[in-house]
């Protein structure tokens, strides 16, 4: 994933999306792939696609894109991009921590109810933590 000029076979204009990790497709160093689920809504048509990007090569891809951005719009644009990236990371970390705390509280409540009633009562629900 280096700087090079290529022509894509198809353009997918993402209008929204989400991110996560995929442990099934790992880098050679064992790290998971980053998973991007992208949506495109244009002219009444909706499409979606999942893109798996090995975490070990993601910095090279983002770094190359940042170099293009700075070459075209200046270093200030690059610095703003990096600041936006870091701010999004911080907000996402807070959301993940809140979801994990909610999961742990639900698991604890389920265990407590089952313990106090010798297994007759449970307040359990699907409590899978977000990845």
């Amino acid at each position: 994933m280096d700087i090079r000029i290529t022509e894509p076979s198809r353009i997918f204009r993402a209008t929204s999306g989400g991110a996560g990790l995929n442990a099934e497709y790992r880098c050679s160093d064992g790290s998971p792939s980053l998973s991007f689920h992208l949506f495109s809504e244009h002219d009444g048509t909706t499409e979606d696609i999942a893109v798996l990007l090995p975490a070990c090569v993601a910095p090279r891809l983002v770094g190359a894109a940042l170099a293009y951005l700075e070459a075209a719009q200046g270093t200030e644009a690059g610095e703003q991009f990096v600041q936006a990236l870091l701010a999004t990371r911080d907000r996402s970390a807070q959301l993940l921590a809140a979801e994990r705390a909610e999961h742990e509280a639900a698991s604890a409540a389920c265990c407590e109810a089952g313990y106090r009633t010798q297994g007759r009562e449970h307040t359990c629900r699907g409590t899978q933590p977000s990845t």
Side-chain angles (χ1 to χ4, degrees):
M1 308 271 176
D2 297 309
I3 293 178
R4 63 181 176 186
I5 298 173
T6 60
E7 289 295 324
S9 60
R10 178 174 173 258
I11 300 289
F12 183 91
R13 290 183 3 200
T15 55
S16 65
L21 295 177
N22 183 297
E24 186 175 346
Y25 299 98
R26 295 185 173 274
C27 292
S28 59
D29 68 3
S31 61
S33 287
L34 305 176
S35 173
F36 300 98
H37 192 185
L38 306 175
F39 297 91
S40 177
E41 295 181 38
H42 297 283
D43 302 325
T45 303
T46 302
E47 294 181 87
D48 71 304
I49 189 169
V51 176
L52 299 181
L53 179 63
C56 56
V57 298
R60 291 187 297 185
L61 179 65
V62 173
L66 181 57
Y68 271 112
L69 179 65
E70 288 183 348
Q73 298 182 347
T75 56
E76 186 175 322
E79 290 170 3
Q80 289 174 352
F81 177 84
V82 170
Q83 289 304 314
L85 186 69
L86 295 174
T88 300
R89 179 209 50 197
D90 293 346
R91 282 191 305 274
S92 296
Q94 290 173 349
L95 290 171
L96 287 171
E99 284 182 18
R100 190 161 306 278
E102 181 182 328
H103 165 72
E104 290 170 0
S107 292
C110 175
C111 293
E112 180 68 20
Y115 174 76
R116 291 186 183 277
T117 63
Q118 287 78 42
R120 291 187 311 274
E121 180 183 322
H122 290 279
T123 58
C124 301
R125 59 181 171 84
T127 56
Q128 292 298 319
S130 298
T131 55

